[in-house]
Amino acid sequence: MHLVSTVTTAAICGIEARKVVVEADISGGLPSFVMVGFLASEVKEAQDRIRTALLNSGFRLPASRVTVSLSPADVRKSGSWFDLPIAVAVLGAMGIIPPGMEDMMIAGELGLSGAIRPVPGIMEMAFRAKEFGCGTCIVPAENLAEGANAPDVDVKGAWSLRQVIAFMTGEGRLEEPAEYLPKEEMREPAMDFAELKGQPLLRRAAEITAAGFHHMLMIGPPGCGKSLTAKCLPSILPALTKEEAIEITRIHSVAGILPENSRLIGERPFRAPHHTATGASLAGGGGYPRPGEISLAHGGVLFLDELPEFRPQVLETLRQPLEEGKITITRVHGDYTFPAHFILAAAMNPCRRGVPAQRRM
């Protein structure tokens, strides 16, 4: 009877994590490493990284058939965070790691040396761990700060595969999260509204915009302060509540743009895409969509400079999020909904006769 080892991890679908069970079995037959379960190319390539990482960590795969299954089979598995759970499952099937890992959520990318590298989406995985029946999360040490935001879950960080093995065999410890940073230490706006001089009407309009979370269109000649006003707008918005900070941080974590060693984003986002941006870059795109500029501006300001230069089709993508505060993208494998409640600040130059320039078709 073969020993089947089971490990729990997650796949990111849009901005939501879905439970994935990794099973590994070692049986007789020609030496091979087979992985199944609707895998993207980067997951299929993991077998070479895992084989080398195990070897450099002091473990050699047996000369047998190694079969790894990632279920459910109808969920596309993409991303590099499956390396560590697959390696742990294989070690469990080899009898090196004792059974009973089903109540741990594991995620991380492996280097050839066995080092564990940071991956996006750890915060979302940690928040869903309790729902998946996992009381412990093992994540890359560099992602430990963001994962520690999850309530009622013991999040631990690891620097290497050897460290994970030592922890699971009771011979070592993993990294623990640092203490939570006070809220006032996190709010550091890049630009202060107090830096604006003159333009009393423009300042008053910006204050009204911030007070009511309204949208704003600024029309004026170059150099009159339109862009500076938009950049300073987040500094007069209300401070983020903890719930808002968590939601914004989860979006940025999934997008893979969370600053290194950040626990929570403490300031409201400011996004200013170039006028050559495509509709997919604003709404979120790809075969398996990731958040676009619209969602990355959630809770903050989306600034569109030179508004008439944006293509009409791109501006049309703003219709749903401006009306509903969210955007839904439909793909063959399902619908993906991203939050998108933001202040739209736009700027444009008047035409030579003083009439706003007509949008180019």
Side-chain angles (χ1 to χ4, degrees), residues 124-207:
E124 171 63 18
M125 296 181 193
F127 266 84
R128 299 293 296 275
K130 196 70 175 180
E131 179 183 335
F132 298 158
C134 299
T136 302
C137 282
I138 299 177
V139 303
E142 294 180 56
N143 292 123
L144 182 57
E146 59 176 291
N149 290 295
D152 304 323
V153 178
D154 185 15
V155 182
K156 300 181 181 295
W159 293 103
S160 67
L161 180 59
R162 288 182 180 179
Q163 190 179 10
V164 174
I165 296 172
F167 170 75
M168 292 188 169
T169 55
E171 300 175 357
R173 300 179 60 185
L174 297 179
E175 304 293 330
E176 299 288 342
E179 292 297 322
Y180 179 74
L181 294 175
K183 185 175 180 180
E184 58 268 20
E185 293 183 14
M186 298 186 300
R187 183 171 171 81
E188 297 179 358
M191 302 192 71
D192 196 336
F193 194 77
E195 297 177 8
L196 290 176
K197 306 299 181 184
Q199 293 286 10
L201 291 180
L202 182 56
R203 289 172 56 91
R204 177 60 176 163
E207 291 166 357

Side-chain angles (χ1 to χ4, degrees), residues 214-238:
H214 304 301
H215 306 300
M216 182 181 186
L217 173 62
M218 296 170 282
I219 305 175
C224 68
K226 303 187 298 297
S227 298
L228 180 60
T229 301
K231 292 176 182 178
C232 294
L233 192 57
S235 67
I236 59 173
L237 291 173

Side-chain angles (χ1 to χ4, degrees), residues 84-330:
L84 183 57
I86 292 174
V88 171
V90 171
L91 289 169
M94 294 168 60
I96 297 172
I97 294 178
M101 299 175 290
E102 294 84 356
D103 61 345
M104 295 184 183
M105 175 170 284
I106 304 174
E109 178 182 346
L110 284 177
L112 297 183
S113 64
I116 300 177
R117 297 172 178 169
V119 294
I122 288 296
M123 188 172 179
E124 171 63 18
M125 296 181 193
F127 266 84
R128 299 293 296 275
K130 196 70 175 180
E131 179 183 335
F132 298 158
C134 299
T136 302
C137 282
I138 299 177
V139 303
E142 294 180 56
N143 292 123
L144 182 57
E146 59 176 291
N149 290 295
D152 304 323
V153 178
D154 185 15
V155 182
K156 300 181 181 295
W159 293 103
S160 67
L161 180 59
R162 288 182 180 179
Q163 190 179 10
V164 174
I165 296 172
F167 170 75
M168 292 188 169
T169 55
E171 300 175 357
R173 300 179 60 185
L174 297 179
E175 304 293 330
E176 299 288 342
E179 292 297 322
Y180 179 74
L181 294 175
K183 185 175 180 180
E184 58 268 20
E185 293 183 14
M186 298 186 300
R187 183 171 171 81
E188 297 179 358
M191 302 192 71
D192 196 336
F193 194 77
E195 297 177 8
L196 290 176
K197 306 299 181 184
Q199 293 286 10
L201 291 180
L202 182 56
R203 289 172 56 91
R204 177 60 176 163
E207 291 166 357
I208 294 173
T209 297
F213 218 79
H214 304 301
H215 306 300
M216 182 181 186
L217 173 62
M218 296 170 282
I219 305 175
C224 68
K226 303 187 298 297
S227 298
L228 180 60
T229 301
K231 292 176 182 178
C232 294
L233 192 57
S235 67
I236 59 173
L237 291 173
L240 290 173
T241 64
K242 187 174 182 180
E243 291 73 20
E244 289 177 321
I246 288 174
E247 185 175 23
I248 292 172
T249 305
R250 290 170 76 175
I251 296 172
H252 285 68
S253 173
V254 170
I257 61 173
L258 195 64
E260 186 177 354
N261 295 324
S262 293
R263 183 155 188 172
L264 278 180
I265 292 179
E267 61 181 23
R268 293 190 179 272
F270 177 83
R271 307 293 298 185
H274 193 259
H275 64 263
T276 57
T278 63
S281 68
L282 258 67
Y288 294 86
R290 290 291 183 267
E293 294 290 337
I294 290 175
S295 296
L296 294 177
H298 177 70
V301 177
L302 177 67
F303 177 49
L304 302 184
D305 199 7
E306 301 294 344
L307 183 66
E309 301 298 329
F310 283 83
R311 289 193 290 263
Q313 296 85 353
V314 174
L315 296 179
E316 287 294 331
T317 63
L318 296 171
R319 185 194 305 272
Q320 184 187 18
L322 289 178
E323 292 178 353
E324 303 178 9
K326 61 182 180 180
I327 184 167
T328 301
I329 300 174
T330 301

